[in-house]
């Protein structure tokens, strides 16, 4: 089991992050939502700077084949918007909510495949990823169909969704654990 969890460390970190962020959003959605956006901004700026530095370190002919400089600039710019564009975020929120809802739908479709994989592998707990898929799809459709929800409502809704999805992701990860390690 431990080898399996270490092999899936990214998923484990994601599960913990989902649950912690979900709880924080339920405790105080307005403060933590703004904080999360600012943290995302800092991470995007760092990612952008790293990509630009990586681009500049490469030989010119090798660097010209990729688009690291462009993606670095885009990430850094988006990061600046996250940090300094609070008014922009609140005005663009309905459109961003739709994008978030579509992302939830995409995750739901991925979980449907995990459900089918579990069924094909004859896993006893195949229904865990199925429930997870259902949650992602429900949350995605609710957000897409009502993007005009208030800022606070969406963040509370997101907090609840993150906690539920984190718990279901954990159950799915355990469900897919091979019988013998």
């Amino acid at each position: 089991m431990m080898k399996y969890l270490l092999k899936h460390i990214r998923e484990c970190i994601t599960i913990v992050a989902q649950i912690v962020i979900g709880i924080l959003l339920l405790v105080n959605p307005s403060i933590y939502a703004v904080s999360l956006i600012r943290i995302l901004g800092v991470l995007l700026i760092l990612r952008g700077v790293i990509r630009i530095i990586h681009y500049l370190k490469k030989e010119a002919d090798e660097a010209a084949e990729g688009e690291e400089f462009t993606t670095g600039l885009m990430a850094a710019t988006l990061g600046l918007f996250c940090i300094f564009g609070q008014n922009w975020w609140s005005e663009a929120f309905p459109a961003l909510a739709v994008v978030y809802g579509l992302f939830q739908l995409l995750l739901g479709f991925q979980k449907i495949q995990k459900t089918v994989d579990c069924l094909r592998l004859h896993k006893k707990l195949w229904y865990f990823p199925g429930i997870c898929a259902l949650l992602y799809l429900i949350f995605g459709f609710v957000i897409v169909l009502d993007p005009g929800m208030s800022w606070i409502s969406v963040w509370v809704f997101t907090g609840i969704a993150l906690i539920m999805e984190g718990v279901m992701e954990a159950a799915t990860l355990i469900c897919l654990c091979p019988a013998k390690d």
Side-chain angles (χ1 to χ4, degrees):
M1 177 74 147
M2 188 55 78
K3 282 184 189 178
Y4 175 77
L5 292 177
L6 288 173
K7 183 178 175 185
H8 296 280
I9 192 71
R10 276 191 178 167
E11 289 95 334
C12 293
I13 291 170
T14 301
I15 289 166
V16 171
Q18 282 179 308
I19 293 171
V20 169
I21 291 170
I23 291 169
L24 292 175
L25 287 173
L26 288 178
V27 170
N28 194 335
S30 59
I31 289 175
Y32 288 113
V34 171
S35 298
L36 286 172
I37 291 171
R38 287 190 176 144
I39 290 169
L40 175 64
V42 169
L43 294 174
L44 284 167
I45 291 170
L46 290 174
R47 178 74 174 153
V49 169
I50 290 169
R51 291 195 65 99
I52 291 169
I53 290 171
H54 193 254
Y55 167 84
L56 294 172
K57 284 185 170 183
K58 287 183 176 180
E59 294 295 325
D61 57 333
E62 183 185 356
E65 292 178 15
E67 296 187 3
E68 282 186 303
F69 192 79
T70 300
T71 57
L73 287 174
M74 291 183 342
T77 301
L78 184 57
L80 289 170
F81 272 118
C82 289
I83 293 171
F84 299 110
Q86 291 304 314
N87 292 336
W88 180 85
W89 281 106
S90 60
E91 291 175 19
F93 186 73
L96 295 172
V98 169
V99 171
Y100 176 69
L102 292 172
F103 182 70
Q104 292 289 307
L105 291 173
L106 176 66
L107 292 173
F109 298 144
Q110 288 176 328
K111 293 301 170 200
I112 289 173
Q113 178 174 338
K114 284 230 190 253
T115 303
V116 173
D117 291 342
C118 285
L119 281 168
R120 293 184 70 203
L121 292 168
H122 306 288
K123 296 287 185 177
K124 290 179 184 177
L125 301 174
W126 61 268
Y127 49 87
F128 279 115
I131 294 169
C132 196
L134 185 64
L135 290 173
Y136 277 115
L137 294 172
I138 289 170
F139 294 141
F141 278 120
V142 167
I143 292 170
V144 168
L145 295 175
D146 189 11
M149 281 191 241
S150 75
W151 174 268
I152 299 298
S153 298
V154 170
W155 285 112
V156 168
F157 186 74
T158 301
I160 293 168
L162 284 171
I163 293 167
M164 292 175 70
E165 291 164 4
V167 169
M168 292 310 298
E169 289 287 340
T172 299
L173 192 62
I174 292 167
C175 172
L176 294 174
C177 181
K180 293 181 181 178
D181 220 29

